[in-house]
Amino acid sequence: MNMFLHELKAYRKSTIIWAFSLVAILVLFMSMFPGLTRDAADFKKLLEGYPEGVRKAFGISLESITSLLGFYSYVFAYILLCGSIQAMNLGISILSKESREKTADFLLTKPVKRNQVVTAKLSAALTSLIITNGIYLAAAVIIAMAVSTKPFDIQTFTLISLTAFWVECMFLALGVLVSAVVTRIKSVLPLSLSTVFGFYVLNMFGAVIGEKAIRYLTPFKYYDTAYIIKHSSYETSYIIIEIIVIAGAIAASYMIYAKKDIHAV
Amino acid sequence: MNLFFREIKAARRSLILWSIGICFMVVSGMAKYEGLSGTGQSLQQMISEMPKSLQAIMGTGTLDLSTAVGFYAILFTYLQLMAAIHAMMLGANIIAKEERDQTAEFLMAKPISRSQIITAKLSAALANVVIFNLVTLILSITMVSKFSKDGESLTDIYLLMAGMFMLQLIFLAAGSSIAAAGNKPKRAASVGTGILLISYILSLAIDLNENIKLLQYITPFKYFEAKRVVAGGVLDPVFVGLSAIIIIILITLTYVSFRKRDLSV
């Protein structure tokens, strides 16, 4: 319990900064929503001059993009990106910082098992993510209600917002696994940034070119917002994959960390 | 000179990994171009009449997706982001790592002045950035010319790469000045990346809202935007000048503040 509280305290400042930056990004983008709906209304008038077929094909995607949920899912991609960086950073740093900051011998000579160390640190990281997402979700609902002129489906909105947490859990597990496997991590950020941006670029580019197989490769694509908006639920197969990935990564981290050679000085 | 080669060698592995990343992006991206090249002309015309904010959400902008260069310009946006991250982290780490790894004492005891140290380190970083740029250029030219139709000019790609080089220099200088002027070397890379992410998100927000167009002078991602370079056929002299000024100021800041820096050993 001491370890858990200590870690929580160590990450307190960064958790608060992350939560408020996420909210700030959301405020910045959502403040443009009213202007966007006006633009869209003008464009719809212009569309009337086009043949029926084109108008139909275009009108539908226009309708979905300029609705609150459609616009939110566009903005949300960037929130997700930032949240994932936070999670990956947390995951990589929380175990590796002991040997980087030369406190490993202090911690590991305490009468606790290594497994207990991992458990305490993992739950602290998870708590930090839950707090960030809690603050974000509360703010997001308030902002959405403030900018929306028409009523929107709040359940779907919450489901979309919560995907950030699910994706972050995957990155957290991945980060912990990386920090358990790699012997010495000099600096966390280059590693976590290149991993998250690697997946992000893969995802963005996959969306442009319409590649199906990429969906399984990048966590960013596991929760397709278009599907959530349509069905108000997640896709079961991806939930199962996520659980398997997380369970595998965490179990492997426990096993590797328990027997790892840790440089004390 | 020893220091220069030492730094080149230290960055070699990461440069190779980044090059593999670019190679993957460019090759897999352009390979998908063939499937997309059949986009109808009427759709293209329709997109060009949309309001700017809607174009931004659709992800195409004013680019003509039916030409190889136009398609490449979309890919370029992500290459630019990768290049900026690479340059920023390189610049920040090359200065900050001595204090982080407790090797500052060793280096400073050598009979070379601090300015010489910065010169050697910055030239090593510059060499890395140039190699990064050349690798991207060569890969891009080969892949685009493979898919482009007869008579399509490739000069746009040289222009885009020149723009990317300026962007890399800005972020390299920003990273090094943060590391030299900031008081916590461990934080340098995080702060730098924070600034980079903010400017990237700002550049997206500017696409959505015409009213904040004035902010484009703040975010380097807007300086040499693919759609503007391709449409104009030239790098905007205002932004080239602005970048040069920014780079000179930041490099000077690096030298001045590192000379007086209170190193923690």
Side-chain angles (χ1 to χ4, degrees), chain A residues 56-110:
Chain A
K56 237 180 200 157
F58 229 64
I60 293 169
S61 62
L62 198 67
E63 205 60 58
S64 70
I65 274 176
T66 54
S67 72
L68 180 88
L69 287 177
F71 182 67
Y72 180 65
S73 45
Y74 165 75
V75 175
F76 189 70
Y78 301 107
I79 304 279
L80 195 60
L81 171 69
C82 296
S84 307
I85 294 175
Q86 181 201 10
M88 191 78 187
N89 259 340
L90 258 179
I92 294 183
S93 70
I94 206 155
L95 280 182
S96 68
K97 70 171 177 182
E98 302 295 346
S99 57
R100 190 173 43 252
E101 287 163 14
K102 318 222 170 4
T103 49
D105 56 342
F106 175 80
L107 176 70
L108 295 178
T109 45
K110 295 273 170 291

Side-chain angles (χ1 to χ4, degrees), chain A residues 105-119:
Chain A
D105 56 342
F106 175 80
L107 176 70
L108 295 178
T109 45
K110 295 273 170 291
V112 282
K113 281 191 199 128
R114 284 202 183 178
N115 282 348
Q116 285 172 293
V117 174
V118 179
T119 311

Side-chain angles (χ1 to χ4, degrees), chain A residues 7 18 26 48 54 67 69 73 79 84 101 104 114 130 135 137 147 151 165 174 198 204 214 219 228 239 250 258 264:
Chain A
E7 291 297 339
W18 272 107
L26 189 69
E48 279 162 21
V54 189
S67 72
L69 287 177
S73 45
I79 304 279
S84 307
E101 287 163 14
R114 284 202 183 178
I130 291 174
I135 296 175
L137 183 61
V147 295
F165 182 64
L174 195 64
M204 288 302 264
I214 284 181
I228 300 173
I239 298 178
I250 296 292

Side-chain angles (χ1 to χ4, degrees), chain A residues 213-244:
Chain A
I214 284 181
R215 275 203 76 179
Y216 290 96
L217 281 181
T218 157
F220 288 116
K221 269 262 169 261
Y222 273 33
Y223 300 97
D224 185 21
T225 42
Y227 182 91
I228 300 173
I229 291 175
K230 212 167 165 190
H231 297 88
S232 260
S233 68
Y234 300 139
E235 282 161 277
T236 328
S237 55
Y238 287 97
I239 298 178
I240 296 169
I241 298 176
E242 158 147 13
I243 292 171
I244 294 172

Side-chain angles (χ1 to χ4, degrees), chain B residues 88-99 118 172-189 191-192 250 253-254 257-258 261-263:
Chain B
M88 174 64 99
M89 289 205 292
L90 186 68
N93 283 331
I94 212 162
I95 307 279
K97 68 174 174 185
E98 303 296 345
E99 284 178 76
I118 293 286
L172 180 66
S176 67
S177 61
I178 291 168
N183 47 7
K184 277 190 192 153
K186 265 185 204 161
R187 304 252 75 165
V191 173
L250 290 174
L253 181 67
T254 309
S257 46
F258 193 77
R261 188 179 172 80
D262 198 4
L263 294 156

Side-chain angles (χ1 to χ4, degrees), chain A residues 39 50 189 193 201 205 211, chain B residues 25 29 32 49-50 53 193:
Chain A
D39 279 356
Y50 281 91
L189 201 73
L193 267 189
V201 166
F205 206 64
E211 180 65 71
Chain B
M25 275 292 290
K32 291 285 168 232
E49 282 181 26
M50 284 170 90
S53 55
T193 319

